[in-house]
Amino acid sequence: MTPMPRISQQRSNPTTRLPLAKPLAAVAAACGASLLFSGAALAQAAPAAISDDIVRLGLILDMSGVYADVTGKGSATAAQMAIDDFGGTVLGKKIELLAVDHQNKADIAAARAREWYDTQKVDAILDVAGSAPALAVLEVAREKKKIVVFSGPGTERITNDLCSPYSVHYTYDTWSLANTTARATVDRGGKSWYFLTADYAFGHTLQASATEVVKARGGTVLGAARHPLGTSDFASYLLQAQASRAQVVGLANAGGDTVNAIKAAREFGLTQGGQKMAGLLLYINDIHAIGLDAAAGLMLTEAFYWDMNDQTRAWSQRYYDKLKKMPNMSQAGTYSSVMHYLKAVQAAGTDAPDAVMKQMKAMPINDFFATNGRIREDGRMVHDMYLFEVKTPAESKRPWDYYKLVATLPGDEAFMPLSKSTCPLVKAAAK
C-alpha cells in the first residue's frame, strides 16, 4: 500500500509550505486549516504537455462547520485514495492535492479559487462543499476557463441556467433528490407537505424542485419555514410544521441541520402524532448520528451506498480502515471524479482544460460508483439514483447496516431531462 504522503499547511504566504508534525485528523479539524497532499514519488519522466510539470488539484470544503462530516476530511481522504490508486503520477508528472476550509462563506471560497488558479497553478478544483460557495467558485472557474467538478453541493443551477463548459455536477442535485424522494412519498399517500428549508441557495432550489414534484402528482404545499444555516434550536420551526397539520414535513436542508431537525421532531412528538418526515438530502453519516430508533422508516435518495455489491464493499472497507466510518455518496463521488479527471488527462496527453473536458465528456464512467455514467453537454454526470428506506434496529444486522433498497431510478429518469433545461450549452448543441 502506498504510504500516506507528507502533509503541509498553507500559511499566509501561499507559496510557502512548512512541514507539520500533526497527523491528518488534527490538521483537518482545525478551523481554517489548509491541507496539502502530495502524490507518490515521481515516476520516469515522459514527454507530456503538463503545465508546470505538476498536476495540481484542489478541494474547497467544509472542514469545521455543519457539513464537515459529509465533506471535510472524508472527501479529502477519498480524493487522495484516487491519486494513490492512479499511481501518484500522470503522464510521468507528480499529482498534488490541496484542500482548504471555506468556513461556509462564498467570498472565502471564491477568493481561494482565484488564488489557486492565478498563483498556485491549480489545474482543476474537484469539489466545493455547499451550494453558495460552489456557485461563487463556478463563476471564477468560468472566468478563468478552468475545470471545476462538484460532488458536494446540490443546487441544480450548476447545470441549468448557470452551466459552464468547464464545470461538471457529478454526484447528485436538488432535482434528482426531489424527483425521487418526493415522488415516492406522494405516491405512498403523503399528499400535503410543509417544508423546513435552509435559507440559502441549496435549500431554496430543493424546496422549489420538491414543490414542483408534489403538485405535479396531485399533492399540495401548505407552507414553509426557512431557517439559518447551522440552526441548533428548531422548536419554533417545528411548532409551525405541527400547526400546519401537513401529512409530510419535508426537510430541505442537509448535514447537521437535518440531524438536529429529525432529533427535535422526535422530541416534539411530531412523528408520534402521525406526521411523516421526508429527508430530501440525507447522508449515511446523518443516519449514523440520528440512530435507527429515530430514523427508522425514513425514505431517502442516494447516489451510492457502501453495501450495494462487492465493489462498493471493497472500496468502502479501504476507506473505513482510514477513517473508521463508512463513506457517503459525496465522498465516493469525489474519489470517482478525481479518477475520471486523471484518466482524461492521461487520454488527452495534457492538462489543458479544453482537451481534458472533451475527454471527460467522451469517456464513460464505470467504477464502483457508477455504471455507464456519462457527462452530458450541460455538465450533468448522469447515473442511476437509489431510493432507500432506513431499517429498524431489529432489521440492522451489523454496524452501518442502515438501508433497504426500495427502487433504482435510471439516470435518464432521475435527473432533469434536457428538454427542461435552460442551459445555453444545450441550445447550442441542438443547433
Side-chain angles (χ1 to χ4, degrees):
M1 180 178 292
T2 304
M4 285 296 290
R6 177 178 60 86
I7 301 167
S8 299
Q9 182 176 8
Q10 294 180 346
R11 306 296 184 181
S12 58
N13 180 353
T15 63
T16 302
R17 298 184 176 91
L18 302 177
L20 285 178
K22 294 181 180 180
L24 171 61
V27 177
C31 178
S34 180
L35 310 180
L36 166 65
F37 302 82
S38 296
L42 278 169
Q44 291 287 335
I50 297 296
S51 57
D52 306 304
D53 286 333
I54 294 175
V55 174
R56 292 187 179 90
L57 310 180
L59 300 170
I60 304 178
L61 303 171
D62 181 354
M63 293 288 194
S64 56
V66 68
Y67 301 140
D69 195 37
V70 296
T71 62
K73 184 175 64 173
S75 292
T77 298
Q80 186 60 47
M81 287 174 66
I83 291 171
D84 292 343
D85 288 349
F86 199 81
T89 64
V90 59
L91 298 173
K93 306 299 181 180
K94 184 173 66 173
I95 306 164
E96 285 187 353
L97 177 67
L98 304 174
V100 69
D101 186 355
H102 59 37
Q103 302 171 49
N104 283 308
K105 296 180 180 178
D107 57 341
I108 291 177
R112 179 61 70 171
R114 191 173 299 277
E115 175 194 344
W116 277 358
Y117 287 142
D118 285 347
T119 67
Q120 297 203 39
K121 308 303 180 184
V122 167
D123 296 291
I125 293 175
L126 270 297
D127 198 18
V128 183
S131 291
L135 293 179
V137 172
L138 174 64
E139 292 310 310
V140 176
R142 187 197 312 275
E143 174 193 339
K144 300 295 181 182
K145 297 184 178 180
K146 293 283 191 175
I147 290 175
V148 59
V149 182
F150 301 105
S151 287
T155 179
E156 66 206 45
R157 297 189 68 191
I158 291 170
T159 54
N160 207 25
D161 60 309
L162 297 180
C163 69
S164 161
Y166 299 99
S167 65
V168 175
H169 206 177
Y170 204 85
T171 300
Y172 72 98
D173 60 28
T174 48
W175 202 93
S176 64
L177 297 178
N179 183 49
T180 307
T181 304
R183 182 170 69 174
T185 303
V186 174
D187 290 351
R188 290 185 171 206
K191 298 292 187 181
S192 61
W193 285 60
Y194 187 92
F195 289 97
L196 298 186
T197 302
D199 193 11
Y200 71 109
F202 163 76
H204 299 169
T205 53
L206 185 52
Q207 179 188 327
S209 297
T211 296
E212 180 182 349
V213 173
V214 169
K215 290 182 177 179
R217 303 190 80 80
T220 59
V221 174
L222 303 181
R226 290 184 174 181
H227 65 82
L229 181 68
T231 297
S232 58
D233 184 1
F234 277 87
S236 63
Y237 308 112
L238 289 169
L239 287 172
Q240 294 175 58
Q242 278 185 318
S244 75
R245 298 186 181 275
Q247 293 172 297
V248 180
V249 178
L251 301 176
N253 50 23
D257 286 336
T258 305
V259 171
N260 290 335
I262 292 174
K263 287 182 175 179
R266 182 176 176 83
E267 294 171 3
F268 271 77
L270 203 78
T271 52
Q272 295 91 320
Q275 290 178 293
K276 295 184 180 297
M277 306 285 286
L280 296 173
L281 175 56
L282 275 166
Y283 287 97
I284 194 169
N285 313 66
D286 303 326
I287 304 304
H288 189 73
I290 295 164
L292 294 184
D293 285 329
L298 277 169
M299 304 291 289
L300 57 94
T301 300
E302 293 255 30
F304 166 86
Y305 177 46
W306 73 270
D307 202 15
M308 292 284 289
N309 53 53
D310 289 343
Q311 275 189 299
T312 60
R313 285 187 285 270
W315 183 82
S316 298
Q317 184 62 53
R318 292 174 52 216
Y319 179 97
Y320 181 88
D321 290 342
K322 294 179 181 293
L323 294 179
K324 305 308 177 189
K325 62 178 69 175
M326 285 299 177
N328 61 42
M329 64 174 170
S330 288
Q331 292 155 349
T334 297
Y335 175 99
S336 179
S337 67
V338 170
M339 186 65 75
H340 188 62
Y341 173 83
L342 293 174
K343 288 179 180 178
V345 171
Q346 184 81 45
T350 178
D351 59 1
D354 290 289
V356 175
M357 184 57 74
K358 182 178 180 180
Q359 285 294 330
M360 290 180 72
K361 290 183 176 179
M363 297 164 53
I365 298 154
N366 286 292
D367 57 17
F368 70 88
F369 179 77
T371 302
N372 295 322
R374 60 186 176 86
I375 299 173
R376 299 188 310 201
E377 53 265 46
D378 61 348
R380 174 70 259 164
M381 202 281 266
V382 177
H383 54 83
D384 293 349
M385 296 289 287
Y386 307 100
L387 180 68
F388 294 105
E389 182 178 344
V390 178
K391 292 182 176 181
T392 65
E395 290 171 323
S396 179
K397 304 304 181 185
R398 59 193 184 281
W400 298 91
D401 176 24
Y402 295 157
Y403 293 167
K404 294 184 290 187
L405 180 63
V406 175
T408 299
L409 266 73
D412 288 337
E413 296 180 23
F415 293 98
M416 179 185 290
L418 290 177
S419 60
K420 290 189 175 183
S421 175
T422 60
C423 171
L425 301 175
V426 174
K427 295 179 181 178
K431 291 181 179 180

